[in-house]
Amino acid sequence: EPEVTQTPSHQVTQMGQEVILRCVPISNHLYFYWYRQILGQKVEFLVSFYNNEISEKSEIFDDQFSVERPDGSNFTLKIRSTKLEDSAMYFCASSEVTAYQPQHFGDGTRLSIL
Amino acid sequence: GENVEQHPSTLSVQEGDSAVIKCTYSDSASNYFPWYKQELGKRPQLIIDIRSNVGEKKDQRIAVTLNKTAKHFSLHITETQPEDSAVYFCALGGTSYGKLTFGQGTILTVHP
């Protein structure tokens, strides 16, 4: 069964540094998402992406965050200047043609900000 | 905006018993209701979903019921097994470009 893949599995970064989290969505999927989950809490929506542009973003997704689909397979989340409170598990997800299809999640990247 | 309340926050059952988790929501425009299972340190895994034109859906030991009038939907797990132990999240979708709004989660523990 095809899967969403994410790299790295764990990223440790100094506060103020830039990080890029990478995702390869399922190949025939057209909608892409980033979510985050602070330890022990619920999953929170960050951003949705379709047709090479952001469809919707949450209040968490401020100017420090950006997303990009640099080629035909990768989907990246960049945090420009990390803060301690950015420490969380970041999940990428993708879904098929319409936004109301099941979303399949990757294994996540655990981001630790020191 | 969308809001979803999930109860209970923890649920402990004996193997073979049934487990029911309920979510209530406020946005009547929601029309997609998935349930995810998350084992410790793993990805949320879709286990069942329902759309607003259906009242109930079943997949082996798992079922979801939806009451759009009352704005709640529930996950039912029958004949629970220890491997069902995990955190279960309900979610709302369908009101915008695929955004899912998650509930707070239910820690289900199935005792052998």
Side-chain angles (χ1 to χ4, degrees):
Chain A
E1 184 176 332
E3 290 186 343
V4 175
T5 57
Q6 289 185 243
T7 55
S9 57
H10 191 190
Q11 175 80 45
V12 182
T13 301
Q14 291 289 332
M15 185 173 59
Q17 295 297 304
E18 174 184 287
V19 294
I20 298 176
L21 310 183
R22 292 183 165 78
C23 168
V24 178
I26 295 172
S27 61
N28 64 330
H29 287 187
L30 298 180
Y31 285 79
F32 314 123
Y33 315 88
W34 284 100
Y35 293 85
R36 80 170 187 191
Q37 185 177 33
I38 295 170
L39 187 64
Q41 298 187 22
K42 68 177 180 180
V43 178
E44 299 175 288
F45 170 80
L46 293 178
V47 64
S48 60
F49 190 88
Y50 169 70
N51 199 26
N52 279 321
E53 60 183 26
I54 290 174
S55 306
E56 185 176 8
K57 58 185 180 180
S58 71
E59 58 276 7
I60 301 169
F61 195 89
D62 61 22
D63 292 344
Q64 296 300 314
F65 290 85
S66 63
V67 289
E68 190 179 29
R69 186 149 165 85
D71 53 44
S73 60
N74 289 283
F75 178 52
T76 62
L77 174 69
K78 182 193 290 187
I79 308 175
R80 192 162 45 147
S81 178
T82 50
K83 303 187 282 287
L84 292 175
E85 53 265 38
D86 293 329
S87 295
M89 182 73 92
Y90 287 80
F91 291 105
C92 174
S94 67
S95 63
E96 280 189 66
V97 177
T98 70
Y100 309 136
Q101 293 295 313
Q103 293 183 22
H104 299 272
F105 283 69
D107 282 332
T109 293
R110 180 167 299 284
L111 178 62
S112 301
I113 307 301
L114 305 178
Chain B
E2 304 91 349
N3 189 38
V4 56
E5 295 287 329
Q6 183 171 344
H7 297 281
S9 55
T10 60
L11 180 58
S12 184
V13 300
Q14 288 297 125
E15 183 177 1
D17 288 350
S18 294
V20 181
I21 303 169
K22 183 176 177 179
C23 286
T24 59
Y25 62 97
S26 54
D27 189 344
S28 57
S30 300
N31 60 14
Y32 177 59
F33 308 90
W35 285 90
Y36 285 84
K37 174 184 180 183
Q38 187 178 32
E39 296 175 350
L40 191 63
K42 302 245 178 115
R43 70 176 79 183
Q45 191 169 12
L46 179 71
I47 55 172
I48 196 165
D49 58 7
I50 193 168
R51 288 170 179 79
S52 61
N53 58 341
V54 177
E56 183 174 353
K57 183 176 176 181
K58 191 172 181 181
D59 182 4
Q60 299 181 4
R61 297 187 296 110
I62 294 172
V64 55
T65 57
L66 170 65
N67 185 327
K68 279 218 83 177
T69 304
K71 297 197 188 76
H72 65 74
F73 57 111
S74 299
L75 177 70
H76 305 254
I77 306 174
T78 58
E79 300 171 34
T80 53
Q81 301 165 2
E83 50 265 39
D84 294 330
S85 296
V87 181
Y88 290 81
F89 291 96
C90 65
L92 291 179
T95 56
S96 54
Y97 292 95
K99 169 187 174 182
L100 290 180
T101 300
F102 283 79
Q104 295 288 345
T106 296
I107 302 172
L108 173 65
T109 304
V110 180
H111 299 282

